[in-house]
Amino acid sequence: YYTTRLRIGTPQQEFALIVDSGSTVTYVPCSTCTQCGNHQDPRFQPELSNTYKPVKCGVDCSNCDIEKNQCKYERQYAEMSSSSGVLGEDIVSFGDESALRPQRAVFGCENSETGDIYHQHADGIMGLGRGTLSIMDQLVQSGVIANSFSLCYGGMGIGGGAMILGAIPPPPEMVFTKSNPNRSPYYNIQLKGMRVAGNPLPLSRQVFDGKFGTVVDSGTTYAYLPEAAFVAFRDAVIKHIGSLKRIDGPDPSYHDICFSGAGSDISQLSRKFPHVDLVFEKEQMLSIAPENYLFQHSKVHGAYCLGIFQNGKDPTTLLGGILVRNMLVTYDRSNERIGFWKTNCSELWQRLQSAVPPPPVTPNSKDKNISDRGHIVPPAPAPSEYKAPAPSEYKPGQVQEIGGLEFYMSLTANSKDFGLILPKFRGDMARELEIAIYQVHILNFSSDGDDIKIRWTIFPDDSSNWITNRTAQRIIFLLTEHQVHLRDAFRNYHLLSWKILPPSE
């Protein structure tokens, strides 16, 4: 699961909460809890907060404790876990790095946990669903954000990401689909079909419309399809990867569908596993990578298992966090739609921090007097060995003469003599970035076995003394978004930093 940090009370008490668009209440373990597990942080102590107030029973609260003094909540989940406790109100904060100032909000103070909720490492849940107790509904009602939020979950084996509370200008390539709030309290979308390796699954377009329809739930780990859809998807994937060996899953309690022989390089999974397309209304398509439907086998190196399962006999389609890794998902509640945009979510937090603030968005007519600026919330820390691109002085849209672009990256090569394959590196970069090979210059490199650090530049072509803003922005986008595909001589790359060079005299 993916967590964010939330601070509650005065003085502040900090908690790690699972980001959950399928839940409508935010809760943390209470100091009075008699049946709570051992979690990441100390339990919330209401008596130590100068700003805490219990939510009293009244007209707006029909579920009260035994003494009829304090309002309570109860939540049960599909995997048979549960959480219950009392409701309190206090000041909540998303940390020093968030632009969203502290706000008063109602949350749950747990007195009992069962199942996975009891055993999980995270302290509790941040509820972003539709409902009066949702942290989103409360912030919108307070007038501090527009009625929208976005989540971006980091990729397999990397993690990280960002949560944006409020509206942001959607990327031009974002694919939107309708979401009907009147159908259910969940965030549903109009899924009409699936394709595996470009071939449509032989299914009725109504198969994804049963019960609650197709639901996007960030707090669910995997994805679950109705029986007919799952069988068709499973068979199509197995047919495509006939060369891989079928093996048992990591847990004998479950009949996971797993394959060995795919290798440990996640960036190369698409060589072994097919790409999958989700088909929305008006035949819009969203392509997802193998990391969006696979999870790593915990006991066999280089083995992977299907992370899409049959949803029992339930006709609902449930798309969990695995399906939206490395994808910016915008829950545009004002316009009753959900958007998807493929990007490198592990790097998004750093890029957003260094980016020029986006131009204001015109608020929806339903959101009068509401700030339309999105507030970025930091993710839980990514693994320490991961380095995202450093902030640069380049600002998209700013007119400047660019004399060159300098990049510093790490590479994994299939040869221990990198000097022999330098021409292939230059050729790959020229081909993928659509520039001449003479524009690519190697400044220096160092190697440790097959791990290489390389510093290289792109200079203007012979017809100009500088690189245009448009070309620079395209090149930077391709490299930071990992849209550059290197040949077999290289297994993967990570962009560590980049900078703009002034025009040469």
Side-chain angles (χ1 to χ4, degrees):
Y1 51 73
Y2 293 75
T3 63
T4 190
R5 304 293 289 181
L6 186 70
R7 300 174 183 180
I8 305 176
T10 310
Q12 294 176 340
Q13 303 173 50
E14 190 166 322
F15 303 93
L17 304 183
I18 296 174
V19 178
D20 190 358
S21 64
S23 294
T24 56
V25 63
T26 297
Y27 54 78
V28 296
C30 214
S31 59
T32 56
C33 185
T34 57
Q35 189 180 329
C36 286
N38 295 319
H39 301 296
Q40 187 169 332
D41 298 288
R43 298 175 182 179
F44 178 67
Q45 301 182 64
E47 65 276 10
L48 297 184
S49 175
N50 300 326
T51 47
Y52 176 81
K53 294 180 181 179
V55 175
K56 298 293 186 180
C57 292
V59 177
D60 296 330
C61 173
S62 57
N63 192 9
C64 291
D65 60 11
I66 298 176
E67 292 81 16
K68 303 293 184 182
N69 290 325
Q70 191 167 357
C71 200
K72 66 178 185 179
Y73 77 94
E74 295 174 347
R75 290 293 183 275
Q76 291 187 332
Y77 298 93
E79 79 281 6
M80 305 308 293
S81 62
S82 67
S83 169
S84 62
V86 294
L87 293 176
E89 182 185 298
D90 210 333
I91 295 175
V92 300
S93 166
F94 294 93
D96 299 333
E97 294 181 273
S98 171
L100 185 59
R101 65 183 185 274
Q103 303 289 327
R104 292 201 70 87
V106 174
F107 64 97
C109 204
E110 286 184 300
N111 286 324
S112 177
E113 300 172 334
T114 65
D116 288 348
I117 302 294
Y118 181 92
H119 294 289
Q120 70 189 19
H121 185 56
D123 299 306
I125 297 287
M126 176 179 289
L128 298 171
R130 295 186 178 109
T132 56
L133 291 179
S134 165
I135 194 75
M136 265 302 300
D137 283 63
Q138 294 185 66
L139 293 174
V140 171
Q141 191 66 29
S142 298
V144 295
I145 62 171
N147 196 10
S148 177
F149 69 96
S150 301
L151 301 175
C152 205
Y153 284 178
M156 182 189 292
I158 297 177
M163 174 170 69
I164 305 167
L165 301 177
I168 55 172
E173 303 87 358
M174 180 167 270
V175 177
F176 281 99
T177 175
K178 294 178 181 177
S179 182
N180 182 5
N182 299 317
R183 176 167 185 171
S184 75
Y186 306 110
Y187 295 110
N188 52 65
I189 60 174
Q190 302 292 313
L191 182 63
K192 301 298 183 182
M194 294 178 69
R195 298 184 180 185
V196 176
N199 300 312
L201 297 183
L203 297 168
S204 163
R205 295 171 70 90
Q206 303 304 314
V207 72
F208 301 105
D209 200 37
K211 198 175 179 180
F212 294 121
T214 298
V215 173
V216 181
D217 183 1
S218 69
T220 293
T221 302
Y222 301 111
Y224 300 86
L225 303 179
E227 183 176 6
F230 169 74
V231 170
F233 172 78
R234 176 200 63 195
D235 293 348
V237 171
I238 292 175
K239 180 180 178 181
H240 185 85
I241 54 175
S243 61
L244 299 182
K245 182 182 177 182
R246 180 85 175 263
I247 62 172
D248 293 333
D251 188 341
S253 304
Y254 299 94
H255 301 293
D256 290 323
I257 300 170
C258 305
F259 310 91
S260 65
S264 58
D265 188 349
I266 295 169
S267 68
Q268 300 299 312
L269 285 180
S270 57
R271 293 173 178 261
K272 301 290 186 179
F273 293 93
H275 71 273
V276 174
D277 299 315
L278 303 182
V279 183
F280 301 131
E281 71 269 27
K282 298 179 181 179
E283 298 305 310
Q284 293 187 98
M285 283 197 296
L286 174 70
S287 293
I288 62 174
E291 73 165 340
N292 295 115
Y293 63 84
L294 297 173
F295 66 90
Q296 290 173 302
H297 198 297
S298 59
K299 296 180 180 178
V300 180
H301 187 68
Y304 301 86
C305 307
L306 288 186
I308 295 182
F309 303 94
Q310 181 178 329
N311 198 11
K313 296 299 180 182
D314 191 332
T316 300
T317 298
L318 187 59
L319 307 182
I322 189 174
L323 204 94
V324 292
R325 289 193 288 209
N326 276 336
M327 200 173 296
L328 178 67
V329 182
T330 293
Y331 298 76
D332 185 356
R333 306 186 342 160
S334 289
N335 296 304
E336 298 181 1
R337 61 180 186 169
I338 295 177
F340 302 88
W341 180 59
K342 293 172 66 175
T343 186
N344 188 325
C345 290
S346 303
E347 297 176 356
L348 184 64
W349 167 245
Q350 285 80 8
R351 296 209 315 276
L352 285 170
Q353 287 295 84
S354 61
V356 179
V361 185
T362 303
N364 185 278
S365 59
K366 301 176 184 176
D367 297 325
K368 300 296 184 183
N369 304 317
I370 292 179
S371 167
D372 53 12
R373 177 75 65 206
H375 299 281
I376 307 167
V377 178
S384 59
E385 69 270 14
Y386 179 77
K387 290 184 178 180
S392 168
E393 68 271 24
Y394 178 68
K395 296 176 175 58
Q398 174 182 321
V399 178
Q400 63 184 110
E401 293 183 351
I402 299 171
L405 302 170
E406 181 178 308
F407 301 97
Y408 181 49
M409 62 171 50
S410 65
L411 285 165
T412 304
N414 288 328
S415 170
K416 297 191 182 301
D417 191 347
F418 185 58
L420 295 178
I421 56 176
L422 274 177
K424 292 184 178 180
F425 175 83
R426 295 180 63 212
D428 284 355
M429 285 300 174
R431 182 189 70 252
E432 291 290 307
L433 300 176
E434 298 179 0
I435 56 178
I437 192 169
Y438 67 77
Q439 293 179 252
V440 181
H441 293 253
I442 309 298
L443 297 181
N444 54 62
F445 69 89
S446 62
S447 62
D448 181 9
D450 57 359
D451 293 324
I452 293 104
K453 297 286 194 302
I454 182 170
R455 194 177 299 276
W456 59 286
T457 58
I458 296 175
F459 287 118
D461 62 30
D462 289 342
S463 63
S464 177
N465 292 324
W466 57 77
I467 298 173
T468 66
N469 274 38
R470 184 183 185 88
T471 299
Q473 188 171 358
R474 178 180 60 82
I475 290 172
I476 292 166
F477 171 83
L478 290 172
L479 287 167
T480 56
E481 295 295 325
H482 289 268
Q483 299 295 311
V484 171
H485 302 289
L486 302 179
R487 285 189 290 189
D488 293 341
F490 312 98
R491 293 200 292 275
N492 54 39
Y493 75 87
H494 286 298
L495 184 61
L496 303 177
S497 65
W498 56 272
K499 65 179 181 181
I500 300 294
L501 302 178
S504 170
E505 297 180 1

